[in-house]
Amino acid sequence: MAFSTRMTRPIFLFVFLLQMLSLRAQTIVSLQGTVKDGQTNAPIVGATVSVKGTTNVTSTDGDGNFTLVNVPRAAQLSISYIGYATAEATVQSETIAIILESNSSALEDVVVIGYGSVRRKDVTTAISSVSLEDLNQRPIVSAGQALQGRAAGVSVIQPNGAPGGETSIRIRGTTSFNASNNPLYVVDGVPVDNINFLSPNDMADIQVLKDASSAAIYGSRAANGVVLITTKQGKAGDAKIAFNGQLTQNSVANKLESLNAAQYKELQDEIGLVNLPDGLPDRTNWSDETFTKGLMQNYQISISDGTEKLRYFLSGGYLNESGVIKSSFYRRYNFRANIDNDVRRWLKVSANVAYTDDIRNGINTGNGANRGGVVLSTINTPTYGAIWDPDFPGQYYTDFYGVNITSPLENIARTKNNKGRENRLIASGSAMVTFTPDLTFKTMLALDRRNGLATTFLDPLSTTWGRTLYGEGSDNRNMNTVLTFDNVLNYKKQWGRHGIDLMGGTSWTASDYTNSWINGTHFRNDLIETLNVANKISWTGTGSGASDWAIMSLFGRASYNFDGKYLLTANLRGDGSSKLHPDYRWGVFPSMSAAWRLSSEDFLEDVSWINDLKIRGGWGQTGNQSGLTDYAYLQMYNATRVAWFVTGQENALPVTSFSGNLRTRDLRWETTTQSNIGVDFTGFANRLTVNLDYYHKKTTDMLMTATVPTGAGASGTIMRNEGTMINKGFEVNVSSKNLVRDFLWSTDFNISFNRNQLTDLELQKIYSTGRTSDFVDDNVVRNEPGRALGGFFGYISDGVDPETGDLRYRDINGDGRVSSSDRTYIGDPNPDFIFGLTNNLSYKGFNLSVFLQGSYGNDIYNASRMETEGMYDGKNQSIRVLDRWRIPGQQTSIPKAGFDLKNSSHFVEDGSFLRVKNISLSYDIKTTRLANAGISRLQPFVSASNLLTWTKYTGFDPEVNQWGSNGHIQGIDWGTYPQNRSLVVGLNLEF
């Protein structure tokens, strides 16, 4: 027995060694490979390489290299990357080279649409995809800035340069008068009202649904188009850690100079309102004291990993921006977690959580100096003034010889302690059940919760206004919770050359809003800013409120595809809103679109330079009710507290009174009907793509607030369906790959033409607004049928009379005198066209991106000049008034001091501009040492924004609107926060 054991042990050991050697001969311990572009031979970074039938997955590094361990010989590899056809290869040795061929101009890419997706080549509607290639190298704060100049038909302006980077976005013109003109944003399937919470670095894909046939699936919320944003997701393969760091210096792109003390005295002597002594010194350069170098720090980090069943993406970031006006700032913290889990072959669950906490300071801009406007007071404050009062330490200088002037630093001090803070949580969970490969069901529940806090504090000592009130403070809080519950059933089937895609679903959205406010005055000092030390709490300025609204929706879509040649899509959505009168609460919004792929027809099959040619057309209706209050169709009342502390009124109850609005018994949906026809072309070996679109939009039953008489000499307002407006336009988008070998050069160009006209108003025929200068005290904007929205209205100026020095105003009606009846339209803020041009160049690791943006044909009403060139009181003026008229016969464009100041064409300027919006230069550092350290990307970069601007506009910047995103008031500059010129250095790092 012992002999047997001694003999069998070596035998077993020998057999085991033979098996191990055999397995080793059949298994490659370390497979080394590369993945390259079949056309350019450039390495492909981030391609997914997997051993079919196993969980052995990796991805390529910065040189296109990959390593897989323990790969059986003759195993099949699958290699995939976005924009390329998936390739397969058989393992035969320890090294392997993979070539990927690009899809036909990425036509096989999947495009996200409402409640689904479709191949780009099968799109039948007007959809723009926004490139995010250079996003990490641009000093952008908000996700909206990523759209600027990147999509035809999408106008994105930053109305001012205040920290926070908020934008005004218009898709195919201004659609509504009183309701919102902002598009609907859908982030990972969750509809939201804005995307300020979203870090641009988290975005993976942006699609803009521009026409009604694409947007109608979102019904009542899509009248202004839809912006679909997909955030980054984890992928199966090696874990990745990515870091993006930016350090940005901002400066005022343009400065205006004011008169020195001697010049100011000479002007005031001519005006004759202020008696100034001789020899006043120049003590303060207010522009230098107000403006500074702004600094922005932006750090974002993300971690992603996954298996075939579980994938995750985690990111976090911190942004800190100090503005070019002292004391202005914006800070943001953001966190995101995206998780996907294939629980079973038939069940996939996902969870997306995003949290943002931001805080900003509210500097008073967009106002005249007499209203505390910081920007205009840098010009209007005489240079002889000091910053601090030498006789009263701690108080700002106010001795301006009887003139009511506050310096820009005092105006800053009035708001420097004002803070607006919001934290926002958006969380969604979804589950997709696959009944069969053709039939799926997805359910999603989303929560959008916003908590806002706005506080103010003005100390009782340093400023004139603070001393008047003995200090003041306020605390305003609000919370808004929006729940969304979607259920979608989808059936997709292909029979030979026939394909159908059927979708149906329901959506329920409910909002609950609460707020509270409290105000107080009479603080002892500036040591404590909270209201517990305010001795007088306002009993009329304290209270709380609440409101809610809900929308219920049913929707469906049917698509038919015959052989990729003939494509047809139809949508139908019904929405019921609590904001509208119960008799008119439900609206039905249909749409349809079709496309014909000519390039698949026999008569074009021999045309080799055409890769794809498609004609498409669509029609649809969308609704709008976003401008309505939560109970818009009801008559409102005010509750007024009765002074309980008055003798005899100790138990008094509040009194209700009519608020001035009338009940609207027929309030219904605002509806936009849009038609679109387009052509998509890809040719010359997929190196040229052209998209052409013409559209016609008609908005009827526009929701507007009309003024009506209510009897007994009083007047009130009523929210009603009042008017009709038309937008029509033409869009061109061109993308080309100019050079595709060692030196890569691609170009993206888009241009958009839009014409807007208000065609009908039923009850109130004229809407006047846009009051700026208190001295003139007159509106400068008029909206009436037959005109484009936001037209400037005033007197036509025929220049300076060389004999009298007065500004001449045209007698339009010929009655021999100039009166209010001689006012007419003097300008149009709507551009003839807008455009964007991006050139991307790459060579041996160097990457250069040049982005140009422009607008042509729009006017700006420079109301700031009324304050800085009006010469009507004791405020200082800009140096332009040195050219004012002084003697008879003098030829000049600046009238005399004390001229007759009116809203006129004298202040209307050409707002056209061409801007070098951004130039970015980066270098990909690739070395063996970095690869061995696991660093797949090391890319330092420099970038400059708003570097050069060519314009005739004399203000701070032509990209301006003092009224922000307002639809019917556009293109007015009145002391607006100036735009910044930015210089960035940064680093992209990936492990």
Side-chain angles (χ1 to χ4, degrees):
M1 189 70 177
F3 174 78
S4 175
T5 302
R6 288 194 300 268
M7 291 296 296
T8 56
R9 282 178 180 174
I11 294 173
F12 280 126
L13 180 60
F14 179 71
V15 172
F16 176 74
L17 290 174
L18 286 177
Q19 290 177 339
M20 290 297 295
L21 290 173
S22 175
L23 288 173
R24 186 173 182 85
Q26 297 175 14
T27 302
I28 298 174
V29 177
S30 178
L31 174 66
Q32 307 291 324
T34 60
V35 179
K36 295 185 177 182
D37 185 298
Q39 189 172 20
T40 66
N41 204 38
I44 296 177
V45 181
T48 300
V49 183
S50 62
V51 181
K52 296 186 67 175
T54 73
T55 59
N56 195 357
V57 181
T58 188
S59 58
T60 56
D61 61 18
D63 294 320
N65 299 324
F66 69 89
T67 300
L68 284 170
V69 297
N70 298 327
V71 180
R73 290 184 183 273
Q76 290 293 111
L77 298 184
S78 176
I79 306 94
S80 61
Y81 189 69
I82 296 175
Y84 291 84
T86 300
E88 293 187 356
T90 302
V91 177
Q92 296 177 342
S93 63
E94 286 77 8
T95 61
I96 189 170
I98 309 295
I99 297 297
L100 292 186
E101 299 294 340
S102 64
N103 287 326
S104 300
S105 191
L107 292 175
E108 299 297 328
D109 285 356
V110 174
V111 175
V112 177
I113 59 175
Y115 302 103
S117 60
V118 66
R119 290 186 304 173
R120 187 180 301 279
K121 64 185 296 184
D122 295 334
V123 169
T124 61
T125 57
I127 298 178
S128 285
S129 300
V130 179
S131 173
L132 302 178
E133 290 183 3
D134 64 341
L135 195 64
N136 289 344
Q137 300 169 27
R138 295 165 55 197
I140 67 174
V141 175
S142 69
Q145 291 173 299
L147 290 167
Q148 196 165 31
R150 302 289 175 144
V154 182
S155 170
V156 182
I157 69 167
Q158 193 169 335
N160 59 69
E166 292 190 12
T167 54
S168 172
I169 299 176
R170 295 285 181 272
I171 297 177
R172 292 185 166 179
T174 301
T175 303
S176 181
F177 188 92
N178 191 73
S180 171
N181 283 282
N182 294 324
L184 171 69
Y185 303 99
V186 181
V187 180
D188 293 329
V190 181
V192 293
D193 58 347
N194 65 63
I195 48 177
N196 298 336
F197 69 94
L198 182 61
S199 170
N201 297 76
D202 288 341
M203 298 189 302
D205 179 74
I206 299 180
Q207 307 292 335
V208 182
L209 311 184
K210 298 186 292 187
D211 65 347
S213 54
S214 61
I217 195 64
Y218 288 103
S220 65
R221 309 179 73 176
N224 305 312
V226 183
V227 178
L228 299 176
I229 300 176
T230 304
T231 59
K232 295 176 181 177
Q233 306 290 322
K235 296 190 301 182
D238 294 338
K240 290 185 178 180
I241 301 175
F243 170 79
N244 173 261
Q246 296 181 9
L247 188 63
T248 304
Q249 184 183 80
N250 295 317
S251 59
V252 178
N254 186 23
K255 287 188 178 182
L256 304 179
E257 295 185 45
S258 60
L259 300 176
N260 62 32
Q263 295 164 341
Y264 169 72
K265 173 177 168 45
E266 185 179 6
L267 172 64
Q268 292 304 318
D269 289 343
E270 293 180 33
I271 297 174
L273 294 177
V274 182
N275 186 18
L276 296 171
D278 294 326
L280 288 172
D282 290 303
R283 292 192 179 96
T284 309
N285 185 317
W286 294 108
S287 179
D288 290 346
E289 294 295 335
T290 303
F291 299 115
T292 184
K293 296 287 186 182
L295 184 66
M296 183 174 73
Q297 303 175 66
N298 188 3
Y299 308 106
Q300 305 289 329
I301 190 169
S302 65
I303 302 173
S304 62
D305 195 9
T307 65
E308 291 298 319
K309 286 192 172 183
L310 179 64
R311 298 160 297 280
Y312 69 85
F313 172 83
L314 304 176
S315 73
Y318 169 71
L319 185 145
N320 188 351
E321 180 182 7
S322 59
V324 294
I325 294 181
K326 292 179 178 179
S327 297
S328 61
F329 69 89
Y330 174 76
R331 288 195 296 270
R332 183 182 68 206
Y333 304 87
N334 60 275
F335 169 78
R336 171 171 292 278
N338 295 340
I339 301 173
D340 297 306
N341 187 12
D342 298 335
V343 181
R344 296 289 187 271
R345 297 179 63 180
W346 53 270
L347 177 62
K348 176 182 178 180
V349 297
S350 301
N352 296 330
V353 179
Y355 176 80
T356 304
D357 193 317
D358 64 70
I359 183 171
R360 70 183 71 210
N361 168 260
I363 293 294
N364 186 352
T365 58
N367 265 326
N370 57 314
R371 297 185 182 183
V374 173
V375 173
L376 285 178
S377 61
T378 62
I379 303 296
N380 290 151
T381 305
T383 59
Y384 68 78
I387 297 176
W388 299 104
D389 192 326
D391 298 324
F392 299 95
Q395 296 184 16
Y396 286 97
Y397 185 89
T398 59
D399 186 12
F400 294 105
Y401 296 92
V403 180
N404 183 22
I405 291 176
T406 54
S407 73
L409 296 190
E410 180 171 353
N411 290 335
I412 289 174
R414 288 176 59 173
T415 59
K416 71 176 183 179
N417 295 315
N418 297 357
K419 297 179 178 63
R421 182 173 183 174
E422 180 180 87
N423 58 71
R424 188 170 187 177
L425 174 67
I426 298 181
S428 66
S430 65
M432 177 178 285
V433 179
T434 303
F435 298 108
T436 70
D438 306 321
L439 182 64
T440 61
F441 172 75
K442 183 177 181 179
T443 183
M444 183 193 73
L445 180 64
L447 166 73
D448 181 359
R449 173 163 290 176
R450 303 168 63 176
N451 285 283
L453 170 63
T455 60
T456 67
F457 175 74
L458 177 59
D459 72 82
L461 176 65
S462 63
T463 67
T464 303
W465 185 245
R467 292 191 294 274
T468 302
L469 297 176
Y470 299 94
E472 65 172 348
S474 67
D475 187 297
N476 296 270
R477 299 169 186 256
N478 64 79
M479 183 175 73
N480 190 35
T481 302
V482 179
L483 291 174
T484 302
F485 184 43
D486 290 347
N487 293 277
V488 180
L489 187 67
N490 190 277
Y491 177 76
K492 184 179 292 187
K493 185 68 175 179
Q494 187 76 32
W495 293 283
R497 295 190 295 175
H498 302 273
I500 63 169
D501 190 342
L502 304 177
M503 183 273 291
T506 65
S507 181
W508 170 81
T509 303
S511 169
D512 181 64
Y513 175 81
T514 59
N515 67 323
S516 62
W517 61 94
I518 183 171
N519 295 268
T521 59
H522 291 72
F523 288 79
R524 179 179 294 276
N525 51 45
D526 62 350
L527 298 180
I528 302 177
E529 300 179 6
T530 52
L531 290 172
N532 62 306
V533 295
N535 198 53
K536 184 182 288 186
I537 299 296
S538 173
W539 71 289
T540 57
T542 300
S544 63
S547 64
D548 57 9
W549 59 265
I551 293 179
M552 184 64 197
S553 307
L554 304 171
F555 51 84
R557 177 173 56 230
S559 299
Y560 173 72
N561 183 330
F562 176 75
D563 200 25
K565 294 182 183 179
Y566 312 112
L567 310 166
L568 180 66
T569 301
N571 298 282
L572 184 67
R573 178 161 177 144
D575 283 324
S577 171
S578 66
K579 296 183 178 183
L580 300 172
H581 192 278
D583 294 341
Y584 302 91
R585 184 156 287 173
W586 281 89
V588 179
F589 307 102
S591 74
M592 60 187 67
S593 60
W596 175 25
R597 176 164 284 107
L598 282 77
S599 56
S600 296
E601 298 290 355
D602 294 339
F603 58 82
L604 286 179
E605 65 179 358
D606 294 330
V607 184
S608 60
W609 53 272
I610 297 179
N611 300 109
D612 190 73
L613 178 61
K614 181 175 63 180
I615 298 176
R616 50 184 166 75
W619 172 92
Q621 291 184 328
T622 50
N624 201 348
Q625 46 97 56
S626 57
L628 298 177
T629 58
D630 290 351
Y631 313 105
Y633 68 94
L634 296 174
Q635 184 170 310
M636 302 297 174
Y637 290 86
N638 295 322
T640 304
R641 293 190 178 110
V642 176
W644 55 267
F645 43 81
V646 175
T647 303
Q649 297 181 171
E650 291 83 359
N651 297 311
L653 300 177
V655 175
T656 58
S657 60
F658 174 49
S659 66
N661 83 298
L662 301 178
R663 182 175 184 178
T664 312
R665 298 183 182 274
D666 60 348
L667 193 65
R668 57 193 181 275
W669 291 98
E670 177 179 295
T671 303
T672 298
T673 303
Q674 183 176 177
S675 301
N676 187 96
I677 186 168
V679 177
D680 297 329
F681 167 79
T682 301
F684 303 103
N686 302 313
R687 291 175 60 176
L688 178 66
T689 299
V690 179
N691 309 106
L692 308 175
D693 280 279
Y694 173 80
Y695 62 88
H696 184 280
K697 296 170 65 175
K698 183 177 182 180
T699 303
T700 57
D701 292 329
M702 281 199 305
L703 295 166
M704 302 174 68
T705 302
T707 301
V708 294
T710 58
S715 65
T717 61
I718 183 171
M719 174 60 71
R720 67 187 308 270
N721 300 95
E722 171 75 1
T724 303
M725 183 162 55
I726 289 177
N727 282 275
K728 54 186 177 181
F730 182 65
E731 303 166 353
V732 179
N733 184 84
V734 180
S735 297
S736 64
K737 299 176 181 178
N738 309 316
L739 298 174
V740 295
R741 292 299 176 184
D742 293 336
F743 186 87
L744 303 178
W745 173 27
S746 64
T747 300
D748 294 297
F749 172 74
N750 67 81
I751 187 169
S752 309
F753 303 82
N754 183 77
R755 297 294 179 267
N756 168 273
Q757 186 180 51
L758 186 62
T759 58
D760 182 59
L761 291 174
E762 292 184 3
L763 187 62
Q764 183 177 334
K765 296 299 184 181
I766 295 175
Y767 285 77
S768 295
T769 186
R771 194 174 298 262
T772 54
S773 169
D774 292 325
F775 180 79
V776 174
D777 195 29
D778 193 14
N779 293 320
V780 74
V781 174
R782 174 177 287 199
N783 291 291
E784 63 178 325
R787 305 287 307 189
L789 213 60
F792 303 139
F793 192 80
Y795 298 88
I796 295 178
S797 169
D798 289 322
V800 177
D801 187 333
E803 298 303 318
T804 65
D806 276 318
L807 199 59
R808 293 177 295 193
Y809 298 111
R810 189 175 301 176
D811 180 11
I812 297 294
N813 59 15
D815 63 358
R817 63 190 184 93
V818 175
S819 63
S820 60
S821 59
D822 292 310
R823 292 178 300 167
T824 186
Y825 285 93
I826 56 177
D828 183 358
N830 300 282
D832 294 338
F833 60 85
I834 57 175
F835 61 92
L837 174 66
T838 304
N839 280 283
N840 293 304
L841 303 98
S842 298
Y843 180 71
K844 292 186 177 180
F846 287 97
N847 306 284
L848 177 65
S849 175
V850 182
F851 172 31
L852 305 180
Q853 172 208 7
S855 175
Y856 179 81
N858 59 296
D859 294 320
I860 297 175
Y861 191 81
N862 193 345
S864 296
R865 284 177 51 205
M866 302 179 76
E867 305 293 331
T868 62
E869 300 175 24
M871 298 179 286
Y872 58 80
D873 64 3
K875 293 196 291 290
N876 198 7
Q877 304 287 275
S878 78
I879 60 172
R880 283 173 56 91
V881 304
L882 292 176
D883 295 329
R884 66 186 179 276
W885 183 94
R886 305 192 194 201
I887 59 174
Q890 181 179 352
Q891 300 289 334
T892 180
S893 61
I894 307 297
K896 68 178 181 180
F899 72 98
D900 184 14
L901 179 63
K902 300 179 185 296
N903 286 334
S904 73
S905 59
H906 181 70
F907 303 106
V908 176
E909 301 185 36
D910 183 0
S912 305
F913 68 90
L914 171 62
R915 167 173 289 159
V916 181
K917 186 64 179 179
N918 184 260
I919 297 179
S920 299
L921 177 64
S922 64
Y923 179 67
D924 296 316
I925 301 175
K926 299 177 180 179
T927 66
T928 304
R929 185 172 297 178
L930 290 176
N932 293 336
I935 298 176
S936 58
R937 185 185 189 189
L938 180 61
Q939 183 189 58
F941 62 88
V942 294
S943 175
S945 289
N946 297 336
L947 188 62
L948 294 171
T949 302
W950 292 275
T951 182
K952 295 180 181 178
Y953 184 60
T954 62
F956 279 105
D957 193 272
E959 187 181 347
V960 64
N961 185 17
Q962 189 255 332
W963 266 267
S965 59
N966 192 300
H968 58 276
I969 311 178
Q970 306 171 58
I972 295 181
D973 186 357
W974 191 33
T976 313
Y977 198 115
Q979 298 284 353
N980 304 326
R981 179 178 290 124
S982 304
L983 182 63
V984 187
V985 294
L987 178 69
N988 289 315
L989 180 64
E990 187 173 292
F991 296 90

